[in-house]
């Protein structure tokens, strides 16, 4: 069964350092999402791609976060510099035929 | 704007007991509705979805949900809970606007007692 891949699964970094997360969606899925999930809450959308284009990044803190999907397949989310408040689970998802979203296992980020 | 409310933050049931998790939504048209489950430290797994047709939908792991338009609800049920069902459950509604996004509820944490 096709799955969304993410790496790394866990990342510990010190504040002010740069971190990057990678996502490979289900093959053929044109729409890709990055979410941030704080413990005890639902996912909150950071950025949405349609192929290589950004559809919505209104909730992305652009002073420190960036996202790209250069060839319209895999995607990278970067934080520079990381802050203590960025500690969270970062989830990637891709969209299926009926608007269902398929999620990867996530990257748990801890900023010290 | 669309929204999802999961009124129960935390539910505790005994193993073998029946389960119902509540979800209420606000949406201007016929919604697409979803239930996801998340185990600790994991991503979200799709349990079931509704987009049209029969209002009672079956999902994986023995779960089902019923869409009730008059009540704007999409409650998740399971007749007999297993210890492995302990997890967090999220209801979601969509699509929203041209971007066709989902809106997630804040989740219900399920604890299963032996």
């Amino acid at each position: 069964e096709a799955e969304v891949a993410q790496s790394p699964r866990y990342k510990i970094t010190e504040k002010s350092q740069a971190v990057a997360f990678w996502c490979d969606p289900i093959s053929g899925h044109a729409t890709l999402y990055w979410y941030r999930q704080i413990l005890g809450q639902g996912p909150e959308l950071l950025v949405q791609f349609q192929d290589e284009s950004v559809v919505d990044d209104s909730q992305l803190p652009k002073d420190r976060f960036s996202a790209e999907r250069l060839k319209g397949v895999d995607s990278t989310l970067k934080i520079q510099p990381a802050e203590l408040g960025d500690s969270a689970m970062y989830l990637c998802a891709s969209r299926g035929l009926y608007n269902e979203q398929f999620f990867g296992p996530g990257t748990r980020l801890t900023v010290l | 704007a669309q929204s999802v409310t999961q009124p129960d933050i935390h539910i505790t049931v005994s193993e073998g007991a029946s389960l119902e998790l509540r979800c209420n939504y606000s949406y201007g048209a016929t919604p697409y509705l979803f239930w996801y489950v998340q185990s600790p430290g994991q991503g979200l797994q799709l349990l079931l979805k509704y987009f049209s047709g029969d209002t009672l939908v079956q999902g994986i792991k023995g779960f089902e949900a019923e869409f009730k338009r008059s009540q704007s609800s999409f409650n998740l049920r399971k007749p007999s809970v297993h210890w492995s069902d302990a997890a967090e459950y999220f209801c979601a509604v969509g699509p929203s606007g041209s971007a066709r996004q989902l809106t997630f509820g804040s989740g219900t944490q399920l604890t299963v007692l032996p």
Side-chain angles (χ1 to χ4, degrees):
Chain A
E1 181 176 294
E3 295 181 342
V4 176
Q6 287 188 251
S7 67
R9 291 293 310 278
Y10 304 92
K11 180 69 177 178
I12 300 174
T13 191
E14 294 183 345
K15 65 178 182 178
S16 80
Q17 296 299 304
V19 293
F21 313 133
W22 176 80
C23 172
D24 191 12
I26 292 173
S27 178
H29 283 189
T31 306
L32 182 149
Y33 308 84
W34 282 101
Y35 289 89
R36 177 168 57 189
Q37 185 183 24
I38 296 170
L39 192 64
Q41 298 182 17
E44 295 179 326
L45 182 69
L46 290 173
V47 61
Q48 177 182 349
F49 288 92
Q50 179 70 27
D51 299 308
E52 68 277 7
S53 300
V54 172
V55 173
D56 184 355
D57 63 357
S58 58
Q59 300 303 310
L60 188 71
K62 298 181 189 64
D63 57 335
R64 298 184 301 107
F65 285 65
S66 64
E68 61 183 17
R69 194 183 183 199
L70 294 177
K71 297 183 179 180
V73 181
D74 59 337
S75 175
T76 301
L77 178 70
K78 297 179 181 178
I79 308 175
Q80 183 173 16
E83 296 181 353
L84 296 177
D86 296 332
S87 294
M89 175 78 88
Y90 289 84
L91 295 164
C92 178
S94 62
R95 190 175 76 201
L97 185 61
Y98 298 106
N99 285 305
E100 70 271 48
Q101 293 183 18
F102 298 93
F103 284 81
T107 297
R108 168 68 67 187
L109 174 65
T110 302
V111 182
L112 304 176
Chain B
Q2 63 190 36
S3 65
V4 178
T5 301
Q6 294 181 246
D8 304 304
I9 296 173
H10 194 183
I11 283 184
T12 300
V13 299
S14 297
E15 190 169 18
S18 63
L19 171 70
E20 183 169 28
L21 303 182
R22 296 184 290 166
C23 172
N24 293 100
Y25 67 90
S26 173
Y27 192 76
T30 300
Y32 288 22
L33 293 158
F34 309 86
W35 275 100
Y36 288 85
V37 61
Q38 186 178 34
S39 297
Q42 302 296 315
L44 279 69
Q45 181 183 21
L46 181 65
L47 284 176
L48 48 77
K49 60 182 181 285
Y50 169 81
F51 48 91
S52 67
D54 193 346
T55 56
L56 184 64
V57 293
Q58 303 297 320
I60 62 171
K61 305 185 179 187
F63 285 93
E64 67 178 25
E66 186 171 13
F67 170 56
K68 293 185 177 180
R69 184 187 301 274
S70 62
Q71 300 178 18
S72 297
S73 69
F74 188 59
N75 294 347
L76 183 71
R77 301 194 294 247
K78 187 170 186 179
S80 178
V81 171
H82 188 264
W83 63 266
S84 61
D85 293 324
E88 187 141 27
Y89 291 80
F90 293 94
C91 181
V93 63
S96 172
S98 59
R100 307 182 76 76
Q101 296 171 358
L102 297 184
T103 298
F104 288 84
S106 55
T108 297
Q109 181 69 46
L110 174 65
T111 297
V112 180
L113 300 176

